[in-house]
Amino acid sequence: MVAIAENVQHRLTIQTVEIAPNTTAIRSLDWDRDRFDIEFGLQNGTTYNSYLIRGEQTVLIDTSHQKFRQLYLDTLKSLINPKIIDYIIVSHTEPDHSGLVEDVLQLAPRATVLASKIALQFLESLVHDPFSKRIVKSGDRINIGKGHEIEFVSAPNLHWPDTIFSYDRKTETLFTCDAFGMHFCDNRTFDEDLEAIEADFRFYYDCLMGPNARSLLNAMKRMSELGKINMIANGHGPILYHHLEILTECYQVWSQRQAKTETTVGLFYVSEYGYGQQIATAIAEGIQKTGVGVEVIDISTAELQEIQELAGRAKGVVIGMPPSTDITAQAGISSLLSVVKNKQLIGLFESYGGDDEPIDTLRRKFIDLGVKEAFSAIRIKETPSENTFHHCQEAGIDLGQLVMRDCGESSTKGNRNIKQIKSLDVNMEKALGRISNGLYIVTTQKGNIKSAMLASWVAQASFQPLGFTIAVAKDRAIDSLMQVGDCFVLNVLEEGNYQELKKHFLKRLHPGTDRFAGVKFQTAKNGSPILTDALAYMECEVEKSMECSDHCILYCSVQEGRVSKADALTAVRHRKVGNYY
Ligand code: FEO
């Protein structure tokens, strides 16, 4: 039976469905969510899936996003008396799944939380009252009666280091949280319509899972040892059942292909110290934008062997400074130092926990080993703001681009190697180079984050409404501020009078530096900066976005605009060949 509860105002609905014997899916449907993980634009909303298994004991797997608090808790109470919940399995601690763990614990005070070691450490800082807990790892099981024996599988890095899968032997259902999910909101509980979901399934894989293909293959190997899997009850989107075989096969094939050429950065930090988790997330997002994978290890809990294996294999190493009192983390860093090679790239950041190990001592050791710094050490002297995280993301992009360059690849997803680039038809490149464009600076502000980008691939696209397209490379940090519905200003540069602005906005900045310092600007009605020295400006909104290989084409409408000098001309960029800007 399917039941639906709803909050019409925000298009939030909840669906409960019996998906297997004694097993209920509680799916929170977030119809209008258009953004995930800052840069991940969504076309079809998303869902947060939680599951209830009722043996002789009762298990709740994951919860929901806080925006569903009332709806979710009411739904849960309509299904059971929460007091009888014996276990809450936390597959992963991102707030879209664990946002209501504290609320559920208040209703179910005798429940024991089962999660990985890292997840429990993180939860302790989220949940204010003490709670019963148990660490679980691969091979651990709980028997909850009526034939339901649940086995756990460690699945680190999918999507954070804390992830576990849970397998119910009776119903042959594997609960995977983020893995095998998709951001696709629909009343259909299952994956019966393959055509409708396949693009979102692939996009989600590319954004969230692909960068950690090796971790996925490891998790899938462990999955194959569990026995028959009849259903994958994921954390986002329709549950995999009708097309389980083909969809898991896709993961296998994509991951094998990806792992062969995988270029990885190892990110080592202490997740529960200072702002380590948020800073690491921002840097990792930046790295992933360039198509480079990131594998994340918590150095306060990982095995030394695991740290060395990743540090030895990764093309780049990022370290969040641990507290000087954390002996395990210090040992982790020493073991890492023993395997880094001088061809690797390094990036260091402070976690701002109040007792950070001094950054310069470690930095000096890496430099002495001949390791190159990909970005200046990120030193955080005050509570990090949104702007700090944005700059950390830019630092991640710098690192990813350098890694790609060192690997002889262009820094975009689906990239070509040097040999392929060289073999391109030179005449064709020259012909393409005859397409000329103007020079522009896109400026935008969202919350406290201001950003800017030099742009030349801009072309008018419609009269009614007045609109144009702009191509934005996928590895630009600004693309997180230019999703459908976002506003910005297009500043037109003036022929013979643009070098200063161009130089300024091409400059690489240290994290935390104000991109607009020293530049004259006013604030547009839509909140974005208008550059005083530009020839003209337009206030715009992104209406549509289309993925095109290494760029996104944005169709934008123009709300208003002005020209400062009636007779001046737009600066134009003439190129020799068409394979660079
Ligand atoms: Fe769906 Fe990583 O949270």
Side-chain angles (χ1 to χ4, degrees):
M1 191 190 87
V2 178
I4 294 172
E6 65 184 329
N7 170 339
V8 179
Q9 195 187 0
H10 300 293
R11 287 236 296 163
L12 304 178
T13 58
I14 292 212
Q15 179 196 62
T16 58
V17 192
E18 294 298 309
I19 56 165
N22 310 318
T23 309
T24 310
I26 310 172
R27 301 178 69 236
S28 303
L29 278 68
D30 191 346
W31 295 90
D32 300 322
R33 183 159 179 178
D34 61 358
R35 186 95 24 131
F36 220 95
D37 282 355
I38 306 178
E39 88 286 3
F40 187 165
L42 309 181
Q43 307 274 345
N44 295 312
T46 194
T47 76
Y48 319 106
N49 304 337
S50 159
Y51 301 93
L52 195 60
I53 308 176
R54 284 171 271 191
E56 276 145 26
Q57 291 181 300
T58 302
V59 173
L60 180 69
I61 302 180
D62 297 320
T63 61
S64 184
H65 195 285
Q66 284 194 350
K67 64 169 88 164
F68 280 87
R69 176 179 280 117
Q70 201 58 47
L71 271 177
Y72 180 87
L73 297 176
D74 288 349
T75 304
L76 185 65
K77 284 190 247 175
S78 73
L79 292 168
I80 49 160
N81 174 356
K83 277 196 184 127
I84 68 160
I85 296 174
D86 296 280
Y87 297 106
I88 302 171
I89 296 175
V90 174
S91 308
H92 158 52
T93 49
E94 268 205 302
D96 47 330
H97 310 285
S98 63
L100 298 177
V101 167
E102 184 168 25
D103 298 82
V104 174
L105 275 171
Q106 278 167 6
L107 299 172
R110 70 183 182 89
T112 298
V113 176
L114 305 175
S116 67
K117 188 174 177 182
I118 301 176
L120 281 178
Q121 285 171 341
F122 192 63
L123 271 180
E124 274 166 12
S125 61
L126 283 183
V127 176
H128 299 100
D129 293 323
F131 59 96
S132 164
K133 54 191 160 291
R134 190 195 306 168
I135 295 170
V136 290
K137 52 187 182 326
S138 281
D140 289 350
R141 296 170 189 200
I142 53 166
N143 191 332
I144 61 163
K146 296 189 187 168
H148 295 278
E149 188 185 43
I150 297 170
E151 179 168 343
F152 300 97
V153 177
S154 299
N157 301 317
L158 308 177
H159 147 234
W160 275 103
D162 58 359
T163 310
I164 52 164
F165 295 167
S166 311
Y167 176 66
D168 184 349
R169 200 158 290 287
K170 178 183 168 99
T171 58
E172 297 172 339
T173 301
L174 183 70
F175 300 88
T176 56
C177 201
D178 279 341
F180 301 98
M182 69 207 85
H183 292 310
F184 184 88
C185 183
D186 192 282
N187 275 325
R188 284 169 291 192
T189 309
F190 294 100
D191 58 342
E192 57 264 41
D193 189 347
L194 190 57
E195 212 175 301
I197 62 172
E198 60 183 341
D200 286 302
F201 187 72
R202 176 71 205 236
F203 183 52
Y204 181 100
Y205 173 89
D206 286 344
C207 292
L208 260 89
M209 297 289 138
N212 290 309
R214 207 178 288 261
S215 302
L216 247 175
L217 290 171
N218 289 339
M220 290 183 81
K221 183 160 176 294
R222 288 187 204 116
M223 279 163 58
S224 69
E225 291 157 7
L226 290 170
K228 183 164 182 271
I229 295 171
N230 186 38
M231 186 188 303
I232 289 187
N234 48 21
H236 296 290
I239 294 166
L240 309 193
Y241 176 69
H242 300 282
H243 297 286
L244 178 66
E245 209 170 311
I246 181 137
L247 292 171
T248 47
E249 177 70 16
C250 284
Y251 258 48
Q252 187 79 32
V253 172
W254 295 336
S255 301
Q256 276 167 345
R257 202 180 295 152
Q258 182 93 2
K260 269 191 208 148
T261 54
E262 193 174 68
T263 313
T264 300
V265 169
L267 200 159
F268 304 86
Y269 76 123
V270 179
S271 61
E272 58 164 346
Y273 177 60
Y275 289 85
Q277 178 80 33
Q278 293 96 317
I279 297 167
T281 305
I283 295 175
E285 280 168 356
I287 296 168
Q288 286 176 343
K289 271 172 171 287
T290 66
V292 173
V294 187
E295 288 177 48
V296 182
I297 284 188
D298 187 320
I299 40 172
S300 65
T301 53
E303 304 284 334
L304 295 185
Q305 210 182 346
E306 201 187 337
I307 294 173
Q308 289 188 318
E309 191 279 323
L310 176 57
R313 164 166 60 83
K315 296 281 189 289
V317 169
V318 177
I319 299 175
M321 302 311 294
S324 54
T325 47
D326 187 333
I327 294 163
T328 315
Q330 306 291 344
I333 290 183
S334 302
S335 72
L336 185 157
L337 271 164
S338 68
V339 294
V340 292
K341 303 176 215 68
N342 60 9
K343 285 204 175 125
Q344 284 171 313
L345 291 156
I346 180 83
L348 301 173
F349 67 87
E350 286 174 346
S351 304
Y352 200 60
D355 183 29
D356 287 30
E357 179 70 13
I359 212 161
D360 284 318
T361 318
L362 186 62
R363 183 174 168 270
R364 174 53 47 204
K365 284 182 186 162
F366 278 110
I367 288 171
D368 289 347
L369 286 167
V371 178
K372 277 186 292 179
E373 251 185 326
F375 54 80
S376 305
I378 299 174
R379 298 162 197 270
I380 299 183
K381 301 297 169 214
E382 55 190 40
T383 306
S385 62
E386 271 187 87
N387 233 346
T388 319
F389 296 130
H390 186 70
H391 287 299
C392 289
Q393 197 186 63
E394 287 181 336
I397 291 175
D398 287 348
L399 172 58
Q401 288 175 336
L402 285 172
V403 164
M404 281 305 209
R405 196 195 63 190
D406 285 1
C407 292
E409 297 171 358
S410 67
S411 65
T412 47
K413 289 176 184 169
N415 38 36
R416 302 172 303 203
N417 60 34
I418 281 180
K419 215 163 110 198
Q420 286 167 315
I421 290 169
K422 279 188 178 159
S423 72
L424 272 181
D425 184 329
V426 176
N427 285 326
M428 186 178 78
E429 285 178 19
K430 284 183 178 167
L432 197 68
R434 292 304 181 267
I435 299 178
S436 295
N437 298 81
L439 274 176
Y440 310 88
I441 290 170
V442 171
T443 50
T444 175
Q445 169 145 15
K446 186 176 273 186
N448 291 327
I449 305 177
K450 278 209 262 326
S451 196
M453 173 189 88
L454 190 73
S456 66
W457 292 4
V458 176
Q460 185 160 352
S462 64
F463 291 128
Q464 282 298 340
L466 283 172
F468 63 90
T469 60
I470 178 166
V472 180
K474 285 185 180 170
D475 61 1
R476 292 297 185 97
I478 199 171
D479 103 313
S480 59
L481 308 179
M482 293 186 68
Q483 302 282 324
V484 172
D486 286 346
C487 294
F488 67 96
V489 164
L490 184 72
N491 299 274
V492 181
L493 299 187
E494 182 189 347
E495 185 60 52
N497 183 26
Y498 64 86
Q499 288 298 351
E500 283 299 309
L501 280 175
K502 182 180 161 196
K503 217 158 64 188
H504 179 89
F505 285 102
L506 281 177
K507 233 185 337 201
R508 283 276 174 215
L509 299 180
H510 294 319
T513 312
D514 179 1
R515 171 51 84 195
F516 289 82
V519 175
K520 284 183 273 174
F521 68 93
Q522 312 151 44
T523 304
K525 284 188 193 144
N526 70 17
S528 300
I530 298 170
L531 302 177
T532 313
D533 292 335
L535 167 62
Y537 77 89
M538 282 154 269
E539 294 197 36
C540 321
E541 180 176 339
V542 181
E543 301 279 349
K544 287 187 182 142
S545 166
M546 180 171 84
E547 291 232 11
C548 296
S549 175
D550 41 23
H551 284 65
C552 279
I553 307 293
L554 309 179
Y555 168 68
C556 313
S557 59
V558 179
Q559 275 73 49
E560 62 178 85
R562 243 167 233 275
V563 180
S564 63
K565 293 182 199 166
D567 299 328
L569 295 175
T570 302
V572 178
R573 170 108 181 91
H574 294 292
R575 300 173 303 163
K576 292 266 188 291
V577 286
N579 61 355
Y580 70 95
Y581 288 116

